[in-house]
Amino acid sequence: MLENLPDEELMQQLEQRRGRGRNEYPVRAMWNSLVAGIVFQHPSIEQLRRELLRNGQLRDLCGCDPTRGSDAVPSASAYSRFLSTLRKRSIREALVRVFTSLVDQCYRELPGFGRRLGADGKGIASVARRRGKGAGDRRGEHDADWGCHEYVYQNERGEVQKSVKKWFGFTVHLLADTAYELPVAFTVSRASKHEVPVMRKLIRSLDRHRPHILKAAEVFTATGAMMMAR
């Protein structure tokens, strides 16, 4: 994974942004460890840190200084600052280019990639608590809000049932290749945003900036509500 990610531009931007400041935890080691956390499905930074503290081999693979042992594992505050940096506009754009490069590689190397596209949204609960009521309270999650999805289905007896899912957080709106089960395009919104207008905006953006994605598609599927509102 680390050898094949096209992230050199991103690394250079992050290193340039850090400049000659304190470099106790190098940019590349921190980035690689975040990627490892996703690969090994650690749901929080603290769980990732615990794994790095006990797993010297993983620290070496991520590029941590082997002479420092477990002291080379970035602190929780260091990860917090690093994640804040990743949210900066110029850095976020470089992250999107990493994703775009990987998608373009799929179009080149996977037979039939992009012919069958599917659209859907998924609620992502925030791992942070709700923000405080005070205007100056910077703790907690300030960008999320409440979302609600209703699902209608038939049970084993053929009876129509309805379930309701509520969450505090965000929604990932995803366009994916349904044969390979790989993403083609995505955007993230607050949980309260309805899927249909967000997906329309995403498709219009693809038509303007990456029209080859829509031209290659032969089949497009979506949830019932989204198709009725097309």
Side-chain angles (χ1 to χ4, degrees), residues 10-124:
L10 172 63
M11 294 299 98
Q12 291 183 10
Q13 283 195 31
L14 289 169
E15 289 172 341
Q16 184 178 14
R17 188 180 185 88
R18 179 171 289 188
R20 297 185 178 181
R22 187 175 177 180
N23 198 35
E24 185 178 4
Y25 308 116
V27 162
R28 293 174 188 261
M30 295 197 70
W31 168 252
N32 290 343
S33 66
L34 285 178
V35 173
I38 295 170
V39 170
F40 295 116
Q41 302 182 27
H42 293 296
S44 69
I45 291 297
E46 281 308 309
Q47 288 198 21
L48 171 61
R49 291 187 68 251
R50 284 196 292 270
E51 179 64 20
L52 289 168
L53 286 168
R54 74 162 196 87
N55 191 334
Q57 185 179 20
L58 181 59
R59 291 198 302 270
D60 291 343
L61 287 172
C62 292
C64 296
D65 185 351
T67 65
R68 297 182 60 201
S70 61
D71 289 338
V73 177
S75 64
S77 58
Y79 274 116
S80 180
R81 292 190 297 270
F82 189 68
L83 290 171
S84 294
T85 299
L86 293 179
R87 287 192 287 267
K88 302 294 183 182
R89 181 173 181 177
S90 61
I91 303 300
R92 192 169 66 243
E93 290 173 350
L95 273 169
V96 172
R97 286 194 289 274
V98 172
F99 172 81
T100 300
S101 177
L102 290 170
V103 172
D104 288 342
Q105 184 177 354
C106 288
Y107 272 92
R108 291 193 302 270
E109 300 186 9
L110 298 179
F113 184 83
R115 290 180 184 172
R116 304 178 67 88
L117 296 181
D120 203 357
K122 179 175 177 57
I124 305 295

